[in-house]
């Protein structure tokens, strides 16, 4: 079955010590899509490469998710089990993942334009990793984009 779309509210805090950042975010479903919440905590450090006018920001984070969030995205109800052949699964609250990644940015064309990219590796944990819908608990994502600063 599909997970209903949702609108999430977010509370976010960040603390910087020099070029090191610590952040904490709380996301809550405001529209009954999954009726849950998640909390993400992370840390990263910014490195500047002056010869390229580039910035690299590697970091690490982890996400804790509520019962409802986990069950919506990783659970398999009895009716879903009957339709899919997957085992029924009730995903409980817990740490969903740990992620390491980096973001990089460097100017191109003119000072207001930049080439940006990111790559992240996430490892699903506990209840998320044990779900029968998960084929691989190692998740990779990356992207590149051109940005313009006003």
């Amino acid at each position: 079955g599909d997970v209903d779309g949702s609108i999430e509210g977010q509370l976010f805090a960040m603390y910087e010590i020099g070029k090191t950042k610590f952040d904490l975010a709380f996301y809550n479903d405001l529209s009954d899509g999954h009726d849950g919440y998640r909390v993400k905590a992370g840390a990263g450090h910014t490195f500047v490469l002056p010869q390229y006018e580039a910035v690299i920001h590697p970091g690490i984070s982890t996400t804790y998710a509520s019962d409802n969030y986990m069950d919506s995205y990783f659970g398999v109800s009895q009716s879903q089990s009957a339709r899919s052949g997957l085992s029924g699964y009730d995903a409980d609250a817990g740490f969903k993942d740990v992620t390491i990644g980096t973001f990089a940015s460097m100017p191109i064309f003119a000072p207001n334009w930049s080439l940006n990219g990111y790559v992240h590796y996430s490892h699903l944990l506990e209840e998320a990793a044990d779900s029968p819908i998960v084929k691989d608990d190692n998740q990779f994502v990356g992207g590149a984009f051109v940005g313009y600063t006003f």
Side-chain angles (χ1 to χ4, degrees):
D2 293 333
V3 177
D4 293 335
S6 63
I7 296 171
E8 290 187 334
Q10 176 186 7
L11 293 173
F12 178 82
M14 181 175 58
Y15 182 72
E16 285 186 60
I17 302 171
K19 293 182 181 178
T20 302
K21 297 178 184 179
F22 301 92
D23 58 81
L24 183 66
F26 174 81
Y27 305 87
N28 190 50
D29 182 8
L30 302 175
S31 62
D32 297 330
H34 55 72
D35 290 328
Y37 68 87
R38 57 195 161 99
V39 178
K40 182 178 177 186
H45 187 82
T46 300
F47 297 93
V48 178
L49 305 174
Q51 66 270 33
Y52 302 107
E53 298 179 42
V55 174
I56 298 174
H57 184 79
I60 186 167
S61 66
T62 188
T63 305
Y64 177 88
S66 70
D67 278 330
N68 287 342
Y69 181 95
M70 294 291 279
D71 211 33
S72 292
Y73 288 99
F74 298 100
V76 179
S77 69
Q78 293 307 318
S79 62
Q80 292 169 330
S81 175
R83 287 193 312 268
S84 68
L86 295 172
S87 300
Y89 186 71
D90 181 24
D92 294 325
F95 283 94
K96 180 178 85 72
D97 60 32
V98 62
T99 300
I100 58 171
T102 192
F103 171 82
S105 180
M106 66 183 288
I108 57 171
F109 308 133
N112 291 30
W113 290 91
S114 62
L115 177 61
N116 307 281
Y118 65 93
V119 61
H120 291 169
Y121 162 74
S122 293
H123 182 74
L124 296 177
L125 303 171
E126 301 176 359
E127 299 286 315
D130 293 340
S131 172
I133 66 170
V134 173
K135 292 182 181 176
D136 188 348
D137 53 5
N138 297 302
Q139 311 284 308
F140 296 90
V141 64
F145 58 96
V146 173
Y148 181 81
T149 304
F150 295 93

